Amino acid sequence: MNNRDSNAEDILAQAASLRWELGEKVHETLMESIFEEAAGIANDVVSHTGQKAKVWDRSLDWLFTSRLTGFPIMFALLAGVLWLTITGANVPSSWLAWVLLDTVHPLLKQGAAFIHMPWWLAGVLIDGMYMATAWVVSVMLPPMAIFFPLFTLCEDFGYLPRVAFNMDALFKKVGAHGKQALTMSMGYGCNAAGIVACRIIDSPRERLIAIITNNFAVCNGRWPTLFLISSIFIGGMVSSPLLGSLVSSGTVLAVMMLGVLFTFGVSWLLSNTMLRGEASIYSLELPPYRPPRFWRTMYTSLIDRTIYVLWRAIVFALPAGAVIWLLSNVTMGGETLAVHIIHWLNPFGVLIGLNGVILLAYIIAIPANEIVIPTVLMLTVLTTGTAGVGAGNGVMFELSEGDTAALLHAGGWTLLTAVNLLLFCLLHNPCSTTVFTIWKETRNLKWTTVAALLPLVMGLLTCFFVAQVWRLVAGGVTP
Amino acid sequence: MTLHPGVLLAIGAGILVCLGLLFWPRRGLISLWKDLHLNTSRTRMEHVLKHLFNAENLHRKTTAKNLCIRVGMGLRKTQALLNRMESNGLIKQDDQGNISLTDEGNSYAIRIVRAHRLWERYLADETGLSGDEWHQKAERLEHTTSPEQVEALAAQLGNPLYDPHGTPIPTVDGVVGPPQGQPATSFAVGEVIVVTHVDKEQDHLYSQIQAEGIVPGMQLRILETSAQRIRFGSQDNEHVLAPVVAARIIAMPLPAEQIEVLSNETLSSLQQGETARVVRFAPTCRGIERRRLMDLGILPGTQVQVTLNGPFGDPKAFLVRQTAIALRKELSNLIFIERTEGAS
């Protein structure tokens, strides 16, 4: 027994001393020989064809990545995809709105009246929950159903990795990965989808940067706000309608570009402060080009997106609808809760160049940014007591541009309010779907909190400073 | 209440500055306070033990005076600390004031040194921190890591033998292996060496080495050694350094059978369409980087060809085993190659 033990100890001691002799490269040497063996076998049994495809690939690569043609093609494609999404989504959006909001909603109300449903139950269920859900679906579904299939087609074709390759030098300067160009572009469709897409970034630090900064890409739920506000307040300053629409599109583009600037700035900041110690490694595979499978892509992404949008509408917009209706119908001391909250938020809102209505709308619209504008309109009617506009307390509605402008001016909006709303639309907390997705992707409370609060703090600060400088220049004093 | 926007602007800016002063990484009040908090008597004692351990390995004598600077205290306080350590049985002091470790002190010191070097190895392999931060960070972590945590760390890293500077990590049983490499001054004329590490601690010496373009992973032949200068040669280059400078280069002798051509070209210098064979990775290509390269099938012996230059010249795409893979210059600088002719 004793003998055996001492033997074992001898062996262990010898193993320990041999370790120093072998050094640390054992694993690598093993791996090298495995690769060598495998490569040898592959060489013997695999034959390569397709010289023609190689020539084709090379010329496409040259076209897509050369300095002369690479960037124009890239920007033209992005602009084309965005244009197709925005103009193409208008038709199905208004059709969905007509069906869900103008036809089904009154029918539901009539049905509720017919079975003598109590008014408050009908209010919460139909005016609140159904309305918010229907709204989110009609605003969100069409752009998603156009934007993402187009994106998937580009990806299937093999073009997207070349974009990441082209953009890498730029993103490297701020400590990020070239693939962030892709996750950012997807963010223009939907931030939650953009954050899921960050999985393609295989370096831990760069992936976190891409996740945290994705919110600076204005998602399609926020586009309506940008378009409406810049067309009423910025484009409206110019007398000719043609010039006006040019100015307002320019404003939207400027906000988007500001978002890109913030992406780079915050990426740089993060990579040099909070994320400095995270591991970082760069590699990018450039797969060969393949003809995309058009119909299959169209079908699967349409189904995927529809399911996704419906899930989001039901999980997040449904409760938000109930909250909106309850806030504007439950009264306390003769005033609705919404009015109380707005009065309470208003001094702070005015301080940062916004107002209480906007702040409350953004709090209610945390689950879905699509309903910011209808909520703002409804709350403005509620506080100003404008007669003859809207569909009742807690029921969201939309107006023509002229009527919206009149209502907002009546609500005390100025050019400063509009500019700050544009800024706040870019810089505020991500919607709850996005926050939830960040949590699912990182499983880290710290990074989720940072991603949720960093844009909000930046937005509040930006609005505050813009408001003070604006007032200083305008010579006014805060009321 | 109405406030002038100028006043509000000043208040806002003031609050921002205050927050910055508080939370600024490494220089803000909060991190300074944390530093202060770390400087307990136990940390000082552990620093003394570590210093003694290193000095004894170099057969140097240590007195209380030497230790003053090391622990940042006056002579009287240092002496008081040493007396306390002696009564705890960690050190011995003789009549001349020379201090040495007892067996107990030695094993304590080894535990701290092991934690320090393992942490350095971890920070080098698994994080994105730069070389000068490994030491500073490990210097703090070594005091707060329990022995169980140290062993868990070692297991996670695959029980490494050396820290990133090539110094051996003591084993659990306190065995300290031979160092990986010696100063470049200790080799004879005609020997071929491979650079494992370049000491960055003295800036003016390091900048001379940097100016010569000598980086870890390079293979050099010793051409001349004298008291005035040391001459190294590679395939097409010659470097002349003063011995003080050359001593900062740590290198290992290369066995005769491994000496092929002394090629110190890296993958980043390969131009479009050119082909080459990977011969080795620089030692500074470690941890996650090295693993990723191997995952991609880039190993010594692999054929590579440049297929595509990025619009700004970086990254470049390389054809590796029928797959195009883009790498940045920082990484391709760490891969040594040997040019080959024609297609792979």
Side-chain angles (χ1 to χ4, degrees):
Chain A
M1 204 55 202
N2 218 344
N3 198 14
R4 197 124 135 249
D5 271 0
S6 69
N7 244 343
E9 263 164 38
D10 281 350
I11 291 170
L12 282 176
Q14 201 181 357
S17 73
L18 279 176
R19 252 176 81 73
W20 293 101
E21 259 176 62
L22 267 174
E24 292 191 312
K25 289 188 80 180
V26 200
H27 303 285
E28 273 171 44
T29 319
L30 262 173
M31 190 130 156
E32 267 169 51
S33 63
I34 291 171
F35 256 99
E36 205 174 316
E37 188 78 4
I41 296 171
N43 239 357
D44 288 343
V45 297
V46 181
S47 57
H48 297 286
T49 54
Q51 281 304 312
K52 223 187 209 169
K54 260 187 197 164
V55 174
W56 171 239
D57 270 19
R58 290 257 163 97
S59 13
L60 275 181
D61 265 342
W62 181 84
L63 191 69
F64 290 147
T65 64
S66 79
R67 213 181 282 201
L68 203 64
T69 52
F71 291 99
I73 291 179
M74 206 169 70
F75 290 120
L77 252 168
L78 181 67
V81 167
L82 286 180
W83 181 80
L84 260 178
T85 311
I86 293 165
T87 53
N90 270 339
V91 181
S93 255
S94 54
W95 187 77
L96 274 174
W98 179 75
V99 172
L100 295 175
L101 304 176
D102 300 341
T103 315
V104 177
H105 180 245
L107 277 178
L108 283 175
K109 289 286 275 189
Q110 281 169 20
F114 184 72
I115 59 165
H116 300 293
M117 192 186 270
W119 71 274
W120 54 269
L121 190 61
V124 170
L125 287 182
I126 301 167
D127 289 340
M129 292 165 107
Y130 169 77
M131 203 63 170
T133 312
W135 207 287
V136 167
V137 169
S138 73
V139 173
M140 189 186 180
L141 184 56
M144 296 275 285
I146 297 174
F147 187 81
F148 283 98
L150 288 177
F151 226 81
T152 315
L153 285 180
C154 287
E155 190 185 358
D156 268 9
F157 176 53
Y159 176 67
L160 294 190
R162 271 75 185 177
V163 173
F165 182 67
N166 283 345
M167 299 297 284
D168 189 63
L170 211 59
F171 280 92
K172 183 178 155 186
K173 286 213 168 73
V174 296
H177 197 294
K179 282 179 187 167
Q180 196 177 327
L182 306 180
T183 61
M184 208 171 103
S185 323
M186 292 194 90
Y188 288 119
C190 171
N191 291 133
I195 281 156
V196 174
C198 290
R199 286 180 195 173
I200 59 172
I201 300 175
D202 42 14
S203 174
R205 189 183 78 175
E206 281 77 357
R207 179 157 173 254
L208 275 173
I209 291 178
I211 288 178
I212 294 171
T213 59
N214 195 273
N215 192 43
F216 297 122
V218 181
C219 69
N220 79 46
R222 294 186 260 168
W223 293 352
T225 315
L226 288 187
F227 284 120
L228 188 74
I229 298 302
S230 51
S231 132
I232 291 177
F233 286 91
I234 317 279
M237 290 195 301
V238 190
S239 51
S240 112
L242 184 74
L243 206 63
S245 74
L246 214 67
V247 168
S248 60
S249 340
T251 310
V252 175
L253 195 69
V255 174
M256 297 237 180
M257 286 298 118
L258 192 65
V260 175
L261 275 184
F262 269 106
T263 304
F264 282 111
V266 173
S267 299
W268 180 83
L269 206 72
L270 285 172
S271 62
N272 283 292
T273 56
M274 295 186 91
L275 291 171
R276 229 164 48 92
E278 294 281 328
S280 158
I281 161 85
Y282 176 85
S283 68
L284 171 72
E285 201 185 319
L286 298 171
Y289 294 96
R290 268 178 310 228
R293 285 166 297 184
F294 185 79
W295 292 112
R296 211 190 122 148
T297 308
M298 281 304 185
Y299 176 75
T300 50
S301 32
L302 207 67
I303 297 293
D304 280 357
R305 291 305 138 192
T306 314
I307 292 172
Y308 172 74
V309 170
L310 288 179
W311 167 79
R312 175 168 182 262
I314 290 165
V315 172
F316 291 106
L318 210 64
V323 169
I324 292 174
W325 192 87
L326 288 173
L327 280 180
S328 36
N329 282 285
V330 175
T331 56
M332 218 171 72
E335 289 277 23
T336 58
L337 280 181
V339 170
H340 281 299
I341 297 174
I342 289 168
H343 283 320
W344 183 71
L345 283 172
N346 206 47
F348 178 68
V350 170
L351 178 71
I352 61 170
L354 297 168
N355 57 43
V357 169
I358 297 176
L359 290 183
L360 179 60
Y362 267 100
I363 294 171
I364 299 176
I366 286 174
N369 276 202
E370 289 88 335
I371 55 175
V372 163
I373 286 295
T375 312
V376 162
L377 293 183
M378 191 272 290
L379 291 176
T380 309
V381 171
L382 202 69
T383 48
T384 57
T386 315
V389 191
N393 285 2
V395 190
M396 294 189 287
F397 60 92
E398 224 166 18
L399 289 174
S400 73
E401 223 177 274
D403 293 340
T404 310
L407 181 63
L408 292 181
H409 282 303
W413 288 44
T414 60
L415 187 58
L416 171 64
T417 321
V419 169
N420 270 1
L421 177 55
L422 289 177
L423 289 172
F424 197 66
C425 181
L426 170 71
L427 302 168
H428 69 274
N429 52 294
C431 72
S432 53
T433 321
T434 308
V435 175
F436 177 67
T437 312
I438 295 171
W439 163 250
K440 269 207 315 198
E441 291 297 308
T442 60
R443 290 274 163 203
N444 184 317
L445 197 63
K446 181 181 168 195
W447 298 128
T448 313
T449 318
V450 169
L453 294 185
L454 183 74
L456 180 65
V457 171
M458 287 178 71
L460 293 177
L461 282 176
T462 311
C463 285
F464 172 79
F465 283 108
V466 166
Q468 305 322 317
V469 171
W470 185 290
R471 283 166 186 155
L472 207 60
V473 173
V477 174
T478 45
Chain B
M1 190 183 73
T2 54
L3 273 176
H4 192 270
V7 176
L8 283 172
L9 211 58
I11 293 174
I15 292 175
L16 273 191
V17 169
C18 287
L19 287 179
L21 279 177
L22 267 180
F23 291 103
W24 201 266
R26 281 170 301 161
R27 296 215 183 85
L29 286 176
I30 287 187
S31 54
L32 285 185
W33 182 78
K34 271 188 189 163
D35 279 4
L36 209 70
H37 211 66
L38 205 77
N39 208 1
T40 60
S41 61
R42 187 168 64 93
T43 347
R44 287 199 203 100
M45 184 188 77
E46 288 177 352
H47 274 298
V48 169
L49 287 173
K50 227 168 51 168
H51 182 78
L52 288 171
F53 175 81
N54 287 331
E56 279 181 16
N57 270 354
L58 295 169
H59 309 290
R60 275 192 207 140
K61 284 183 177 166
T62 312
T63 59
K65 246 184 201 160
N66 303 138
L67 286 165
C68 284
I69 312 159
R70 190 75 188 176
V71 290
M73 292 195 300
L75 188 58
R76 201 181 319 156
K77 276 190 176 176
T78 311
Q79 193 55 57
L81 175 68
L82 289 174
N83 292 343
R84 227 174 323 138
M85 287 171 71
E86 191 172 25
S87 61
N88 284 342
L90 294 171
I91 55 168
K92 283 179 292 204
Q93 305 186 71
D94 68 11
D95 304 338
Q96 283 95 46
N98 289 326
I99 308 160
S100 57
L101 289 167
T102 60
D103 282 349
E104 199 182 331
N106 194 50
S107 69
Y108 193 157
I110 281 181
R111 224 175 63 218
I112 300 295
V113 170
R114 176 168 163 81
H116 180 89
R117 292 184 183 162
L118 275 169
W119 270 120
E120 277 198 320
R121 176 66 184 242
Y122 170 82
L123 294 169
D125 281 11
E126 309 296 331
T127 73
L129 291 173
S130 62
D132 43 337
E133 287 165 286
W134 301 334
H135 178 74
Q136 294 166 13
K137 235 181 151 134
E139 197 84 330
R140 296 160 167 223
L141 288 165
E142 65 192 14
H143 306 295
T144 53
T145 321
S146 71
E148 294 78 33
Q149 283 170 321
V150 169
E151 290 326 305
L153 185 67
Q156 188 198 336
L157 292 170
N159 292 311
L161 299 170
Y162 296 98
D163 76 357
H165 312 293
T167 338
I169 300 170
T171 63
V172 207
D173 314 319
V175 180
V176 184
Q180 199 183 37
Q182 301 141 17
T185 39
S186 59
F187 296 97
V189 172
E191 263 190 288
V192 174
I193 58 171
V194 54
V195 179
T196 54
H197 175 67
V198 179
D199 196 345
K200 294 180 185 171
E201 248 160 54
Q202 274 154 302
D203 273 338
H204 58 291
L205 300 181
Y206 175 60
S207 60
Q208 284 184 53
I209 299 170
Q210 213 179 16
E212 284 293 319
I214 295 177
V215 291
M218 278 181 110
Q219 295 179 344
L220 301 165
R221 191 184 295 277
I222 312 273
L223 299 176
E224 185 192 331
T225 57
S226 67
Q228 286 78 39
R229 61 185 197 165
I230 294 189
R231 203 149 59 86
F232 304 99
S234 56
Q235 193 181 22
D236 38 37
N237 239 329
E238 250 189 52
H239 311 278
V240 182
L241 290 172
V244 248
V245 184
R248 315 309 293 183
I249 301 173
I250 311 297
M252 282 204 303
L254 208 60
E257 71 269 11
Q258 273 183 35
I259 304 167
E260 299 168 31
V261 210
L262 292 188
S263 162
N264 286 322
E265 213 178 354
T266 57
L267 190 56
S268 55
S269 63
L270 210 60
Q271 293 304 313
Q272 175 120 34
E274 291 177 334
T275 52
R277 192 172 64 86
V278 173
V279 285
R280 61 184 188 277
F281 297 144
T284 36
C285 171
R286 51 174 75 251
I288 179 173
E289 276 182 340
R290 214 177 177 103
R291 289 200 297 272
R292 174 62 54 77
L293 284 177
M294 295 182 134
D295 289 345
L296 292 170
I298 303 173
L299 296 106
T302 310
Q303 289 280 341
V304 287
Q305 183 183 24
V306 180
T307 56
L308 205 59
N309 266 321
F312 300 105
D314 186 39
K316 273 181 195 172
F318 302 93
L319 192 68
V320 181
R321 305 179 199 273
Q322 311 289 329
T323 309
I325 292 164
L327 299 177
R328 280 183 184 166
K329 206 180 167 78
E330 285 74 26
L331 191 53
S332 57
N333 260 337
L334 304 181
I335 302 167
F336 288 90
I337 53 157
E338 190 181 274
R339 282 168 192 270
T340 53
E341 295 293 315
S344 50

